[in-house]
């Protein structure tokens, strides 16, 4: 559908993390950006979701720098965001083909054995993480942090090791360090230090965090791109399957708590028990990538070869296009996710 035939609709994005499965979110975002009729006010992301978030916003920051006309900047931003996301994930795939895109412990079998007894600081004293170099090459954080009209606000969640609380990095605090902290699995990498505090993966405290989108943006529509399944039909039997399911439950817990809180507020607003001038009636939407990815198995989260990432991208694009066809008309009108059933 051409842009002239459809209104521009505002939308916030909440992007979950989940290893290489984040490439499915790349495909979803590609479909949304191609639509041409969406205006992204805020993007909250964790781990791989944080990488997707900064890559998307980077494209819009480039366009805002180069175009003074808001419409031209928005259209150019979508094109540049698609290109940045593609370069980022194809870069991950190139490293994966060299056994660098997968988590370090899997890429180096000897290290995988060592991490049973050694901390990341002992097993990986140089804190080698090639994803940082790729991220810094593809995303200009100085440009991203310069506030400009038309550039989505980015909120990256990491977990403060000392307090156990999630912390949001945005605005001037947004950096490559913040994104790497959001993706720091504590058994593989040393905690990332920022301003004297140490941080681990944001999935422990917000995967992704929804509250910045509620309190720091005006938009009421939030599209959650979820890549960790909430439910499983069967009970895991092997040790790796059990560990993977434990991680899914842990990394979904904070998200489910926020969804329940949103549903509680919505119900009170509908009953007239809360002041609508003080409380936002959030309209939640979801693309359930977890169900799409369920058949791939737990080991696929560590795959990072380009062929596999492109397969995930295609699956994500299909899911994104399907969601647009079914629910685009709901934006600004009604929620398409039944929180009472799903949270």
């Amino acid at each position: 559908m051409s842009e002239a035939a459809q209104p521009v609709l505002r939308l916030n994005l909440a992007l979950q993390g989940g290893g290489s499965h984040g490439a499915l979110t790349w495909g979803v975002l590609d479909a949304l950006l191609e639509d041409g009729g969406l205006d992204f006010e805020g993007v909250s992301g964790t781990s791989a979701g944080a990488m997707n978030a900064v890559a998307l916003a980077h494209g819009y920051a480039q366009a805002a720098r180069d175009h003074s006309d808001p419409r031209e900047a928005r259209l150019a931003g979508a094109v540049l965001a698609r290109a940045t996301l593609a370069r980022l994930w194809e870069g991950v795939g190139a490293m994966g083909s060299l056994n660098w895109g997968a988590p370090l412990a899997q890429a180096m079998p000897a290290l995988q054995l060592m991490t049973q007894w050694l901390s990341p600081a002992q097993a990986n004293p140089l804190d080698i993480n090639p994803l940082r170099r790729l991220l810094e090459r593809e995303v200009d954080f100085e440009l991203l942090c310069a506030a400009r009209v038309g550039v989505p606000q980015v909120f990256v969640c990491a977990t403060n090791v000392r307090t156990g609380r999630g912390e949001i990095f945005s605005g001037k605090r947004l950096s490559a360090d913040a994104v790497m902290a959001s993706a720091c699995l504590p058994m593989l990498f040393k905690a990332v230090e920022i301003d004297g505090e140490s941080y681990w993966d944001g999935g422990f405290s917000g995967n992704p965090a929804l509250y910045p989108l509620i309190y720091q943006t005006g938009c009421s529509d939030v599209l959650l791109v979820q890549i960790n399944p909430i439910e499983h039909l069967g009970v895991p039997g092997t040790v790796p399957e059990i560990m993977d399911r434990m991680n899914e439950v842990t990394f979904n817990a904070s998200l489910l708590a926020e969804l329940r809180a949103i549903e509680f507020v919505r119900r009170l607003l509908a009953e007239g028990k809360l002041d609508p001038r003080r409380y936002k009636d959030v309209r939640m939407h979801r693309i359930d990538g977890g169900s799409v990815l369920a058949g791939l198995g737990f080991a696929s989260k560590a795959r990072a070869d380009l062929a596999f990432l492109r397969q995930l991208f295609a699956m994500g694009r299909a899911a994104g296009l399907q969601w647009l066809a079914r629910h685009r008309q709901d934006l600004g009108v009604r929620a398409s996710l039944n929180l009472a059933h799903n949270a």
Side-chain angles (χ1 to χ4, degrees):
M1 186 182 296
S2 68
E3 187 201 7
Q6 59 186 358
V8 176
L9 301 172
R10 297 170 72 206
L11 179 63
N12 284 331
L13 297 172
L15 311 179
Q16 214 175 35
S20 63
H21 287 181
L24 182 134
T25 303
W26 164 33
V28 169
L29 296 178
D30 192 77
L32 299 179
L33 291 163
E34 183 184 55
D35 178 85
L38 300 175
D39 182 16
F40 306 106
E41 184 177 356
V43 187
S44 179
T46 295
S47 195
M51 296 182 65
N52 280 318
V54 296
L56 180 145
H58 171 76
Y60 282 95
Q62 287 181 303
R65 177 195 60 195
D66 299 336
H67 298 272
S68 57
D69 180 78
R71 177 182 176 278
E72 291 180 359
R74 180 173 55 80
L75 295 176
V79 173
L80 292 168
R82 294 176 73 188
T84 303
L85 284 160
R87 288 196 306 271
L88 180 67
W89 282 101
E90 287 174 1
V92 170
M95 290 190 298
S97 66
L98 298 172
N99 281 334
W100 280 105
L104 198 60
Q106 177 164 345
M108 301 178 182
L111 182 57
Q112 186 176 20
L113 182 64
M114 292 165 61
T115 54
Q116 298 179 52
W117 298 282
L118 301 180
S119 72
Q122 295 170 310
N124 181 20
L126 299 180
D127 201 25
I128 297 171
N129 192 337
L131 280 176
R132 176 187 289 273
R133 293 196 299 272
L134 173 63
L135 185 66
E136 291 175 336
R137 187 179 76 214
E138 298 300 340
V139 176
D140 184 339
F141 283 92
E142 183 176 349
L143 176 65
L144 192 57
C145 291
R148 288 183 172 88
V149 176
V151 180
Q153 296 183 71
V154 176
F155 307 99
V156 168
C157 182
T159 304
N160 186 305
V161 178
R162 180 179 60 83
T163 67
R165 297 187 179 94
E167 188 164 335
I168 301 299
F169 293 86
S170 62
K172 300 297 183 182
R173 298 191 71 203
L174 194 60
S175 65
D177 280 342
V179 177
M180 298 315 299
S182 183
C184 179
L185 292 172
M187 294 306 294
L188 297 182
F189 300 106
K190 292 191 292 184
V192 177
E193 185 171 320
I194 302 174
D195 298 330
E197 293 282 359
S198 297
Y199 296 91
W200 282 339
D201 196 295
F204 295 114
S205 53
N207 192 23
L210 301 181
Y211 64 89
L213 301 175
I214 298 172
Y215 295 109
Q216 298 186 46
T217 75
C219 181
S220 295
D221 288 273
V222 177
L223 172 60
L224 168 65
V225 184
Q226 190 168 2
I227 54 178
N228 283 324
I230 291 179
E231 297 182 358
H232 268 288
L233 295 178
V235 177
T238 68
V239 170
E241 289 172 344
I242 293 170
M243 293 298 295
D244 186 65
R245 185 55 182 154
M246 287 172 58
N247 286 334
E248 288 174 347
V249 171
T250 300
F251 281 11
N252 277 331
S254 57
L255 172 65
L256 289 173
E258 285 198 271
L259 291 176
R260 292 188 189 104
I262 290 171
E263 171 58 18
F264 181 62
V265 170
R266 292 201 75 209
R267 188 168 67 250
L268 292 180
L269 283 168
E271 295 172 356
K273 296 178 179 178
L274 290 179
D275 186 348
R277 295 170 298 181
R278 297 185 57 192
Y279 295 90
K280 182 187 287 187
D281 188 1
V282 178
R283 295 181 290 268
M284 285 299 305
H285 313 273
R286 181 178 67 177
I287 292 176
D288 187 6
S291 62
V292 175
L293 294 163
L296 295 178
F298 69 92
S300 65
K301 289 183 180 179
R303 280 188 63 183
D305 56 280
L306 188 54
F308 180 62
L309 296 182
R310 285 175 174 166
Q311 177 187 348
L312 293 177
F313 168 80
M315 294 167 64
R317 259 192 68 86
L321 291 172
Q322 183 181 63
W323 183 85
L324 283 167
R326 291 181 176 178
H327 298 296
R328 193 181 193 283
Q329 70 274 11
D330 294 326
L331 295 178
V333 179
R334 65 183 70 84
S336 61
L337 175 62
N338 184 345
L339 291 178
H341 174 73
N342 289 279

